Amino acid sequence: MPKRGYHHGNLRQALVEAALQLIEAKGPTGFTLSEAAKKAGVTPAAVYRHFEGREDLIAEAARQGYVMFADLMQHAYEKYQPSALAAFEATGRAYLAFARKHPGHYIAMFESGVSVNRTPELADAAARARAILERAAADLSQHIPEHKRPPASMFSAHVLAMSHGVVELYARNSPGATSPFPPEDLLESGIGIYLRGLGLIEPDS
């Protein structure tokens, strides 16, 4: 008889789903491959037919997360065309929405310590997601005089950093970090201040 798990319908994806549940419950370093195998209903030995170790499993979870993240960002960007401002703001909101809806993927992507360059596939997926926000930033930057225009990569990096900070401090129930304002309002007002500083929206009267 073949060993249990070797003919699992889609063992690779079952292991990713198991890892995502464990990441949400225990963090990216709080579980073992044996635990992932048990949750997926296979023997630990079966895991190694698909992944060399826990980091490779987390990297695949991160890759799938970046694919979904890029799709969400692309949808947000396209939905609000042709307004460069609305499209840019929508991509920022999409970041927060993704972190709320897919916490396991988000942790694998941004908090696991696994490099986006661990595999070419992961690097490509992460680059696609970054490129969408950079495109939105580049579109909006066209409204800034060229001599005052920051590089689109810097522009988008600032917004990503702001979005990440709001998520980490206030949107993922960090202990002791309670905000008197909803995370969505914090992010929107922060982006608004940033865009006013660049002269892209009118100052408050």
Side-chain angles (χ1 to χ4, degrees):
M1 292 290 292
K3 291 184 179 180
R4 177 171 173 256
Y6 275 56
H7 291 279
H8 197 287
N10 188 350
L11 173 55
R12 183 178 177 85
Q13 189 58 35
L15 288 166
V16 172
E17 296 297 331
L20 288 167
Q21 294 177 40
L22 290 166
I23 287 169
E24 288 185 39
K26 299 184 174 186
T29 61
F31 72 96
T32 64
L33 277 181
S34 293
E35 288 178 283
K38 182 178 179 180
K39 186 170 279 292
V42 298
T43 63
V47 178
Y48 292 97
R49 295 172 63 88
H50 298 276
F51 300 102
E52 292 183 4
R54 183 177 61 190
E55 285 201 352
D56 285 332
L57 177 55
I58 294 172
E60 175 57 17
R63 184 198 67 79
Q64 292 183 17
Y66 273 113
V67 170
M68 294 190 299
F69 182 53
D71 288 344
L72 183 63
M73 298 276 277
Q74 184 71 40
H75 176 74
Y77 172 78
E78 292 176 351
K79 181 178 178 180
Y80 289 92
Q81 293 294 331
S83 170
L85 176 59
F88 182 80
E89 291 176 332
T91 58
R93 290 193 297 272
Y95 186 104
L96 184 56
F98 178 85
R100 284 187 180 280
K101 188 174 182 180
H102 303 287
H105 288 97
Y106 183 90
I107 295 168
M109 292 157 63
F110 298 113
E111 300 176 15
S112 67
V114 173
S115 170
V116 294
N117 295 314
R118 187 172 182 86
T119 68
E121 295 79 12
L122 174 55
D124 288 346
R128 178 181 166 233
R130 288 193 303 270
I132 294 166
L133 185 56
E134 284 189 22
R135 188 186 319 142
D139 290 349
L140 194 52
S141 294
Q142 298 306 307
H143 299 277
I144 304 173
E146 190 171 356
H147 67 284
K148 295 182 179 180
R149 188 182 304 162
S153 57
M154 178 185 290
F155 193 156
S156 61
H158 286 160
V159 174
L160 278 175
M162 193 184 311
S163 303
H164 188 72
V166 169
V167 167
E168 289 299 308
L169 290 174
Y170 303 118
R172 296 214 319 105
N173 301 316
S174 299
T178 301
S179 170
F181 307 101
E184 292 82 359
D185 291 352
L186 283 174
L187 183 57
E188 184 176 350
S189 61
I191 291 176
I193 291 167
Y194 181 79
L195 297 180
R196 284 188 187 91
L198 292 172
L200 286 166
I201 58 177
E202 294 295 325
D204 290 335
S205 56

